[in-house]
Amino acid sequence: MSRSYVPHWIHWLGSPPNFYRFAGALKPWLLLAALVTGVIGLYGGLVLAPPDRYQGDVYRIIFIHVPSAWMSLFIYASMAAAGLVALVWRIKLAEVVAMECAPIGAAFTLITLCTGSIWGEPTWGTWWTWDARLTSELVLFFLYLGVIGLYNAFEDHRRGARAASLLALVGIVNLPIVHYSVVWWNTLHQGSTVDFLDLSKSSIAPSMLWPLLVMTLATHLYFFASILGRTRAGLLALEGGKQWVRRLVTEDAA
Amino acid sequence: MAASAQSAPVVRGTRPPPTTSLAACGALLRRDFVLAWRRRGELFLPLLYAVIVTALFPFALGPDPALLGRIAGGVLLVIVVLAMLPALESMFRSDLEDGTLEQWLLAPQPLALLALTRVIAHWLTTVLPLLVVMPLLGALLNLPTNVLPVLLLALLLATPLLVLLGSVLSALAAGARRSGILLALMLLPLAVPVVIFAAGAVAAAQSGMPYAAPLIWLGAALVLALVLAPLACAAALRIAVES
């Protein structure tokens, strides 16, 4: 008997009807957790945290801007990872997950760019500047749009997903560029203040750090809830004529 | 190898089938040149497009030679990138449609090598004429004469890099529904660093500063792409051919 190094539950979860049921059960809890942590984080950031020494109350947009920026990078990495699984092992579920990540990531990137613009106007005196951080984040937004566009240009969704996954992998080179842009170049955008390897070394006040981290958790939970919901919809669209979908519909109707 | 050459049927009036990888690439290059020559009228279209768009700038901005001279380098760079886009889109489409790509997959030569040959043929037939016409376009926009060689060198490094990137994206989009602007949407984000470095070299030359550093970065990226892009293009072609 050969021993498999892949746990059985991964195989189980890779089957569309199993994932559909699992995601349907998990998603409401994740959404609730996201809502609760979001409320806590926003209360901590907008009400409890003190005003900034130089920026006053304008800085409070950080509690939306920074978690969204971190999500834009995290979701791209997730999309590329799912795309790699889809390309190498041809797993249908990985294809659906990768393609459903793209619109969520694009939305977070757009939120990052817009909130950054709104923050920059009173603090830098400009809505936009072509420094390395902003330019590479804008390029990330276009990469997301490219993946969405390429996927939708195919009639066969499985082939389209694989082509778009390869595109996502080609664009992964932008992720370290976005992250290290403030280190490698002289940018208007500030350098990094949060050191995840040793939070006590961060150059941000603790009263501002904890709402930031709670908001990060909230956005991550929201993303997981969202991707579960979107993948369910994507699986239904892909597997429309199959037995398990038909059974689902007739059970619902009965 | 010799046995296969003897057993392969030789059609009268044609060359024997290639036995080495180099001979196969030579055959592919020859085929692409013959095909390009047969539609040589089409190759003038990107040139004409570049000339017309270059002529639009003095109409749009006014004929002040000082202003035109200041923006000429960057404008010509963008015009070359835009003129390359339509031809890039159809790099693999006709071969996908008539089944040649499937023969590439079945060939004993590595697919990445054949893809690289196609990239070289494409650059020679489509992009080199654009570079040849650069002095004329430079004169139209009052480009300073000391900047022209740097612009040509920057384009010599940047355009093969863009064709290599474009080959991967064109292979990805080859099996998709025809969508004119899709390749531009995918290529331009990846082309941004290339344009930044090429424009940096031209701007440095224009202000009399040393311009070698951005060109060396471009050269490094080109060498990296020469090795990696054909591999990615081969993976993309395999996705495009499977039905």
Side-chain angles (χ1 to χ4, degrees):
Chain A
M1 247 289 261
S2 65
R3 180 166 301 174
S4 171
Y5 295 102
V6 179
H8 176 257
W9 59 266
I10 289 185
H11 287 295
W12 183 88
L13 214 52
S15 155
N18 294 337
F19 185 87
Y20 187 88
R21 273 196 311 269
F22 170 78
L26 188 56
K27 180 191 163 189
W29 296 108
L30 287 178
L31 206 54
L32 181 67
L35 206 65
V36 168
T37 47
V39 166
I40 295 174
L42 281 178
Y43 182 75
L46 298 179
V47 178
L48 292 179
D52 182 70
R53 193 193 327 180
Y54 300 111
Q55 297 182 39
D57 282 314
V58 172
Y59 87 100
R60 294 188 194 275
I61 204 167
I62 194 179
F63 299 107
I64 301 177
H65 175 75
V66 171
S68 300
W70 284 340
M71 287 314 292
S72 70
L73 297 177
F74 176 75
I75 295 176
Y76 195 95
S78 308
M79 181 171 71
L84 184 67
V85 170
L87 278 174
V88 172
W89 286 282
R90 301 276 187 120
I91 296 178
K92 202 182 293 184
L93 183 66
E95 291 170 11
V96 178
V97 167
M99 291 304 105
E100 297 294 348
C101 278
I104 313 176
F108 273 114
T109 314
L110 188 62
I111 292 174
T112 307
L113 291 169
C114 291
T115 51
S117 245
I118 294 170
W119 195 359
E121 214 288 312
T123 51
W124 296 337
T126 180
W127 292 99
W128 184 260
T129 181
W130 289 104
D131 82 350
R133 171 56 65 85
L134 276 73
T135 306
S136 50
E137 184 76 6
L138 185 66
V139 166
L140 186 71
F141 183 60
F142 291 145
L143 283 172
Y144 273 118
L145 293 182
V147 167
I148 296 171
L150 184 61
Y151 173 60
N152 285 301
F154 279 83
E155 272 155 20
D156 178 359
H157 285 278
R158 297 208 62 186
R159 252 178 78 203
R162 278 197 290 274
S165 299
L166 189 60
L167 178 62
L169 283 169
V170 167
I172 199 91
V173 70
N174 192 34
L175 246 56
I177 293 179
V178 171
H179 181 66
Y180 287 110
S181 55
V182 290
V183 175
W184 294 341
W185 286 284
N186 197 11
T187 60
L188 183 58
H189 192 285
Q190 66 190 70
S192 62
T193 49
V194 179
D195 184 355
F196 277 108
L197 297 175
D198 186 358
L199 282 172
S200 60
K201 272 208 252 135
S202 306
S203 54
I204 185 174
S207 56
M208 300 173 185
L209 180 60
W210 77 259
L212 189 62
L213 295 177
V214 171
M215 280 306 289
T216 308
L217 180 64
T219 47
H220 273 84
L221 289 169
Y222 171 75
F223 163 61
F224 291 135
S226 182
I227 197 69
L228 288 180
R230 293 190 79 107
T231 308
R232 274 166 50 102
L235 280 176
L236 287 181
L238 192 64
E239 303 256 285
K242 300 275 175 70
Q243 191 67 304
W244 69 270
V245 176
R246 231 174 286 149
R247 215 177 294 135
L248 214 64
V249 173
T250 51
E251 271 170 16
D252 268 346
Chain B
M1 289 235 191
S4 68
Q6 283 164 9
S7 58
V10 177
V11 178
R12 207 185 298 274
T14 65
R15 292 184 177 81
T19 49
T20 63
S21 288
L22 204 61
C25 292
L28 196 54
L29 268 179
R30 214 176 297 120
R31 171 179 179 264
D32 281 344
F33 287 151
V34 166
L35 286 176
W37 181 252
R38 283 186 190 159
R39 42 175 179 75
R40 57 190 178 272
E42 270 180 39
L43 297 181
F44 275 103
L45 295 179
L47 288 183
L48 215 56
Y49 171 75
V51 173
I52 291 173
V53 175
T54 310
L56 274 181
F57 274 86
F59 295 142
L61 296 170
D64 173 26
L67 170 66
L68 291 178
R70 227 174 39 236
I71 65 168
V75 163
L76 288 174
L77 214 54
V78 173
I79 288 176
V80 166
V81 172
L82 294 180
M84 283 169 50
L85 283 175
L88 267 181
E89 231 220 299
S90 44
M91 207 195 281
F92 294 109
R93 201 178 290 273
S94 60
D95 280 338
L96 176 66
E97 282 167 2
D98 68 12
T100 311
L101 272 188
E102 278 157 353
Q103 294 303 313
W104 283 20
L105 256 77
L106 294 170
Q109 287 80 24
L111 186 58
L113 195 60
L114 300 176
L116 181 60
T117 314
R118 165 56 55 85
V119 164
I120 293 173
H122 188 270
W123 187 85
L124 286 171
T125 55
T126 319
V127 180
L128 195 54
L130 274 173
L131 298 192
V132 165
V133 104
M134 264 302 115
L136 168 68
L137 299 183
L140 283 179
L141 286 184
N142 200 29
L143 182 74
T145 36
N146 66 321
V147 178
L148 183 61
V150 181
L151 176 63
L152 283 174
L153 189 53
L155 284 174
L156 216 61
L157 292 170
T159 47
L161 184 50
L162 289 173
V163 175
L164 282 162
L165 287 172
S167 72
V168 180
L169 303 175
S170 170
L172 282 175
R177 285 193 295 264
R178 240 165 258 255
S179 164
I181 216 70
L182 180 65
L183 190 76
L185 177 63
M186 294 194 293
L187 182 61
L188 291 180
L190 298 174
V192 163
V194 178
V195 171
I196 287 175
F197 280 108
V202 170
Q206 190 141 359
S207 49
M209 308 235 286
Y211 52 81
L215 291 177
I216 291 175
W217 276 105
L218 272 181
L222 175 59
V223 170
L224 203 62
L226 266 172
V227 175
L228 295 179
L231 294 169
C233 188
L237 286 174
R238 288 200 178 90
I239 294 175
V241 169
E242 70 190 28
S243 51

